[in-house]
Amino acid sequence: MPYIFKQRHTFSFFFWSVPAGVILFFQTPAAQIMYPPDIGWINIKENFNAKGDGVSDDTGPIRQALGTSPQDYGNPKVIYFPAGTYRVSSALISERCCLSLRGQGPDHTIIRLEDNARGYDNPDNPKPVFETGPGGNAAHRNNIWDLAVNTGTGNSGAVGITFLANNKGSVRNVKIISEDRKGYAGLSLTKTWPGPCLITDLEVDGFHYGIDISYSEFGPTFEHISLKNQTTAAIRNVDNVAAIRDLYSSNNVPAIISKSGMIICIDAFLENGSSSNAAIELSRMYYFKQAARLYADNVQTEGYRYSVKTNDGDNTEFNEETPLTHYLSHQPHTLFDSPARSLGLPVRETPSFHPDNLSQWENVEDHGAHPDDWNNDANGIQQALNSGKPLVYLPKGFYIINNSLSVPGNVRKILGFDTHIRVYEPDVRVFQVAHDGTHPLIIEMIQEDETHESTIWIDHVSSRTLVLKSCGISSYRAGPNAGAVFLDDMAMDELAFVPSQSVWARQLNIESPGPSPKITNNGAFLWILGMKTEQKGTVIETKNRGQTEFLGTLLYPAVDFSNAGQEKPAFINDNSHVTAMYMLSSYSSSGNYPVHIRETRGTASRRLRREDLPVRSEHGSIVSLYSGFDSTAITTLPDASMHETGRFSQKSPLDRCLILTAPGAGFRAPEKYGEISLYTLQGRLIGKYFHSGTGVEISVQSSGGKRAAGILFMQCTGPAH
């Protein structure tokens, strides 16, 4: 009988005596995420004497570090939790904005609630371990990265994290665990009002609910989510709009329960379901007009009786189809002949770069750029950029840049720590991306402060791929040959993209009032997973045969549209290819777009008007899917072959192993996979094998025709066909 151990991330290699042909699965912790000591943040151990030894009660020091300071957008708080287990006995609550909590990885930085903690024994009165705030749409720039929260045992009312962020904020690379699986919720987005925010690389084990979402605003975005061992539902949503990509659920209970609201789910594998449940349950809350909406594509279910169960208050419908491909719970809206599906643009993962070798990091302070001293720091920052190091970092604080910075092609990352930049002189290009580079350029955690109206923050004129991550900046300019762009949890103003440019956006917030469109797609390939807008004016204009796939979430104008004949449409499709799904929230009769879509094909123009759409609440609108494209006339994305499948939504997370072989020995490959690739430990491909899901006996041959012996590495990908 094989010894099997599940694994996920990295490998360590051990040698011991086992029979030939045994397949070994195991997990070892990912390496610690390293930082230099001069970031300028709060070190919870050094500055507040937290122990992190798993024994001492660190509640007091952490609460002191969180403090009770009021809103201060210009003075963010960044708290660093070095590796350790921090035992806490009560809630850690922040009621301020602009708070970032950072660890050294969820396998190394662990916040653990003590067992049978006081006040955590009542699931009818849930209580968080961590809570961010403040409530009421003011929780801007809150972030929790690279740590784990463990609610221990005997804490049936525990919530791992009650997270609130607005406009820009994220949970990244976080694990939330209930050791006895009896906590209430892993991640709670139930504080007024959650989102827009990005939840990515999240794993939740246990609890009644893995993720709990409520309120009608403001549309959280999820990507790379793994949920298992929940007892009521992996995800519960009440009336919000959630955009989800790459979801893995291993649960007997439903993977998604949505009561009103909208779920957009792309790339998911929902397994181990009970034959008495549906994988996804949609219903209507009694005080809402509409049942929940669902768009699902590439969603596979296993074990469940139904893939989707829909109850609109009057009727119940069941769908047994699996996988769900272009599944739409309600009728699409079309103005011309168009397929009843989303555009389906290829998706690329956001590039990343974080060297643990700190000799590759360059501090701008070593070149005379000092935060908070009111001097022009541009020369010092430029010298750091010219140092030859691949990562240049700006410690926490504010910097003044009064002349343009040119980013060399060898610089791979410009890293801030909620670092603020001020520009007082005219015509400054803060970061000029004019040099090509072998690797993408990543600009992360930089925040615009005061700026001259003529400033261009990002001047992207080279073909180099650019990643903007967790930044707040007003202006981006793409030159005629600009390379691909990734926008990852970004608050920005107007954007314009050029012909053949590829753009992938995850959690985008734009509140510019016009008169130009918030986004102009002039012949580009634009994929958006989660976007919230405010103010009137066109959200996206797509022209010159551009392609726009808008996967949620929320339009929130919050202004008056009294001049109905003069108002611009929310979306303009000018002889291009556009799909969109979203909800609009409005609390006044004149607070909605009179025209949601204007589509032109050839010389004919048609409009999708407010009165053509289902009503959300009293004055809002629902667009389950607008489809406006001609599938016979679509130009292929330049790198369409590079479509990347989500890490968690593949056939199973058990996808890599080591094999111990001996001459003449074979092994039986896992039955769930369609493709098995075998490598030596040095990375040389031995061969690829395919099978239909019934298992296959593989006898490994070396390139010379002799049977291979020793330790091999096996990569299993894709579902069996």
Side-chain angles (χ1 to χ4, degrees):
M1 189 70 181
Y3 300 90
I4 299 178
F5 304 85
K6 288 188 177 181
Q7 69 80 41
R8 170 72 70 180
H9 297 294
T10 58
F11 293 92
S12 296
F13 302 108
F14 304 94
F15 298 88
W16 64 91
S17 178
V18 295
V22 168
I23 302 176
L24 304 172
F25 295 88
F26 52 87
Q27 178 179 1
T28 58
Q32 291 184 11
I33 300 169
M34 304 303 294
Y35 294 98
D38 51 2
I39 298 299
W41 53 19
I42 296 169
N43 186 312
I44 195 70
K45 288 185 176 181
E46 294 179 0
N47 300 114
F48 285 90
N49 202 33
K51 302 302 182 184
D53 58 10
V55 177
S56 305
D57 189 343
D58 287 320
T59 307
I62 297 173
R63 282 180 166 178
Q64 282 186 295
L66 292 172
T68 58
S69 55
Q71 299 288 78
D72 191 348
Y73 295 99
N75 185 26
K77 180 172 285 189
V78 185
I79 303 176
Y80 173 55
F81 289 77
T85 297
Y86 298 82
R87 184 175 73 84
V88 298
S89 56
S90 192
L92 308 169
I93 298 175
S94 168
E95 287 294 343
R96 60 164 287 157
C97 78
C98 316
L99 171 71
S100 292
L101 308 177
R102 303 285 285 268
Q104 288 195 269
D107 294 324
H108 302 283
T109 296
I110 301 166
I111 314 298
R112 189 186 187 281
L113 181 64
E114 66 182 14
D115 296 340
N116 304 303
R118 183 177 180 182
Y120 284 92
D121 58 348
N122 185 3
D124 293 327
N125 185 25
K127 184 177 179 181
V129 178
F130 258 126
E131 179 178 316
T132 66
N137 193 26
H140 306 295
R141 305 201 326 263
N142 285 334
N143 299 281
I144 300 177
W145 293 10
D146 305 320
L147 54 78
V149 175
N150 186 324
T151 62
T153 64
N155 296 312
S156 59
V159 174
I161 300 173
T162 295
F163 183 71
L164 183 64
N166 302 120
N167 294 359
K168 183 169 70 70
S170 59
V171 173
R172 297 179 187 268
N173 191 29
V174 167
K175 293 181 181 179
I176 308 175
I177 301 161
S178 172
E179 288 186 9
D180 59 6
R181 302 179 181 175
K182 294 182 180 180
Y184 182 76
L187 178 69
S188 174
L189 302 177
T190 60
K191 189 173 180 178
T192 55
W193 291 279
C197 59
L198 178 64
I199 313 298
T200 183
D201 289 295
L202 171 71
E203 298 186 37
V204 182
D205 189 349
F207 303 94
H208 287 294
Y209 302 101
I211 299 173
D212 197 15
I213 313 164
S214 66
Y215 292 103
S216 301
E217 293 87 24
F218 288 96
T221 299
F222 302 85
E223 191 174 34
H224 309 316
I225 306 296
S226 176
L227 308 172
K228 60 183 180 180
N229 299 318
Q230 280 75 54
T231 58
T232 305
I235 297 174
R236 178 175 67 170
N237 175 56
V238 179
D239 202 42
N240 218 314
V241 190
I244 306 169
R245 175 180 175 264
D246 189 23
L247 168 66
Y248 172 74
S249 170
S250 177
N251 282 290
N252 297 130
V253 298
I256 298 173
I257 293 177
S258 187
K259 301 179 179 182
S260 298
M262 179 184 286
I263 297 290
I264 302 162
C265 187
I266 310 296
D267 297 337
F269 181 44
L270 317 176
E271 70 171 345
N272 294 325
S274 166
S275 60
S276 61
N277 288 325
I280 301 173
E281 294 187 1
L282 310 175
S283 63
R284 177 175 66 86
M285 297 293 288
Y286 70 91
Y287 45 82
F288 292 123
K289 290 180 178 292
Q290 301 288 342
R293 261 59 177 174
L294 171 67
Y295 183 82
D297 192 24
N298 190 29
V299 175
Q300 183 157 324
T301 69
E302 285 189 1
Y304 290 100
R305 175 67 179 89
Y306 306 104
S307 56
V308 181
K309 174 184 176 182
T310 303
N311 186 336
D312 64 2
D314 299 315
N315 300 291
T316 301
E317 297 181 358
F318 300 93
N319 185 295
E320 299 182 29
E321 174 190 1
T322 186
L324 294 169
T325 303
H326 310 309
Y327 175 87
L328 185 63
S329 62
H330 292 71
Q331 289 296 313
H333 301 280
T334 59
L335 297 172
F336 295 87
D337 185 25
S338 298
R341 62 175 178 84
S342 192
L343 199 55
L345 292 178
V347 181
R348 296 290 305 276
E349 298 294 340
T350 303
S352 62
F353 175 67
H354 188 99
D356 291 327
N357 181 355
L358 299 183
S359 67
Q360 299 183 54
W361 296 50
E362 191 72 10
N363 187 343
V364 299
E365 290 193 86
D366 292 339
H367 299 270
H370 300 294
D372 307 325
D373 66 357
W374 293 96
N375 293 319
N376 183 7
D377 297 299
N379 290 337
I381 296 173
Q382 186 65 64
Q383 290 177 28
L385 292 170
N386 294 340
S387 67
K389 300 293 181 65
L391 190 150
V392 174
Y393 65 103
L394 291 76
K396 181 180 175 294
F398 79 85
Y399 298 79
I400 295 175
I401 297 177
N402 282 335
N403 43 288
S404 302
L405 300 173
S406 178
V407 183
N410 68 289
V411 174
R412 297 179 59 179
K413 191 171 190 176
I414 300 172
L415 177 60
F417 297 87
D418 212 349
T419 299
H420 284 227
I421 291 179
R422 300 176 179 178
V423 181
Y424 295 119
E425 296 297 323
D427 302 318
V428 172
R429 273 65 171 157
V430 178
F431 295 110
Q432 289 182 309
V433 187
H435 300 282
D436 291 333
T438 304
H439 301 283
L441 170 64
I442 302 168
I443 301 177
E444 179 178 316
M445 287 290 280
I446 300 290
Q447 182 69 30
E448 174 181 337
D449 201 316
E450 301 173 26
T451 187
H452 193 277
E453 62 182 10
S454 66
T455 301
I456 294 177
W457 274 81
I458 308 292
D459 193 16
H460 188 192
V461 296
S462 80
S463 60
R464 189 177 187 187
T465 295
L466 175 66
V467 180
L468 301 178
K469 177 180 175 182
S470 293
C471 296
I473 58 176
S474 60
S475 55
Y476 163 87
R477 188 183 78 88
N481 299 311
V485 180
F486 293 82
L487 306 173
D488 197 278
D489 186 31
M490 292 292 297
M492 307 184 77
D493 284 347
E494 296 168 4
L495 293 165
F497 303 113
V498 299
S500 298
Q501 191 176 19
S502 297
V503 183
W504 291 272
R506 294 151 165 97
Q507 205 306 87
L508 185 59
N509 187 81
I510 299 182
E511 301 181 4
S512 57
S516 299
K518 292 173 175 57
I519 299 178
T520 300
N521 178 355
N522 181 20
F525 303 87
L526 173 62
W527 179 86
I528 298 175
L529 181 74
M531 175 177 168
K532 189 270 285 182
T533 69
E534 293 188 22
Q535 304 290 331
K536 60 174 66 178
T538 296
V539 175
I540 303 176
E541 179 181 8
T542 308
K543 57 187 180 180
N544 192 20
R545 298 180 298 280
Q547 298 182 40
T548 297
E549 185 172 20
F550 182 73
L551 299 167
T553 50
L554 184 72
L555 309 189
Y556 188 74
V559 293
D560 184 76
F561 289 82
S562 56
N563 298 320
Q566 302 176 26
E567 303 293 356
K568 296 179 179 179
F571 294 86
I572 297 174
N573 180 358
D574 184 1
N575 286 290
S576 295
H577 309 284
V578 177
T579 57
M581 52 195 81
Y582 60 91
M583 285 190 167
L584 183 145
S585 287
S586 174
Y587 297 95
S588 81
S589 59
S590 59
N592 197 334
Y593 285 89
V595 176
H596 276 243
I597 313 284
R598 187 183 74 207
E599 180 178 353
T600 302
R601 287 198 190 181
T603 58
S605 291
R606 299 174 184 172
R607 290 166 173 79
L608 183 65
R609 301 180 185 276
R610 173 184 177 180
E611 55 264 30
D612 301 324
L613 299 172
V615 175
R616 186 189 196 203
S617 299
E618 294 298 323
H619 306 294
S621 297
I622 302 171
V623 178
S624 299
L625 171 66
Y626 157 73
S627 178
F629 69 98
D630 181 354
S631 60
T632 66
I634 292 180
T635 303
T636 303
L637 191 68
D639 51 1
S641 62
M642 296 301 291
H643 176 75
E644 297 175 1
T645 303
R647 297 192 293 276
F648 290 151
S649 60
Q650 293 181 11
K651 180 70 175 177
S652 167
L654 189 62
D655 60 358
R656 297 186 180 94
C657 68
L658 292 178
I659 310 159
L660 274 66
T661 68
F667 63 91
R668 192 167 185 82
E671 296 182 355
K672 289 187 174 182
Y673 297 98
E675 179 179 305
I676 299 98
S677 301
L678 296 176
Y679 300 85
T680 67
L681 294 186
Q682 291 73 36
R684 181 169 60 85
L685 179 67
I686 296 291
K688 289 191 176 184
Y689 303 85
F690 304 87
H691 62 81
S692 61
T694 59
V696 61
E697 198 79 25
I698 296 177
S699 180
V700 183
Q701 301 285 337
S702 71
S703 58
K706 298 181 179 179
R707 297 185 186 276
I711 300 179
L712 300 178
F713 176 78
M714 181 170 73
Q715 171 78 49
C716 303
T717 56
H721 301 287

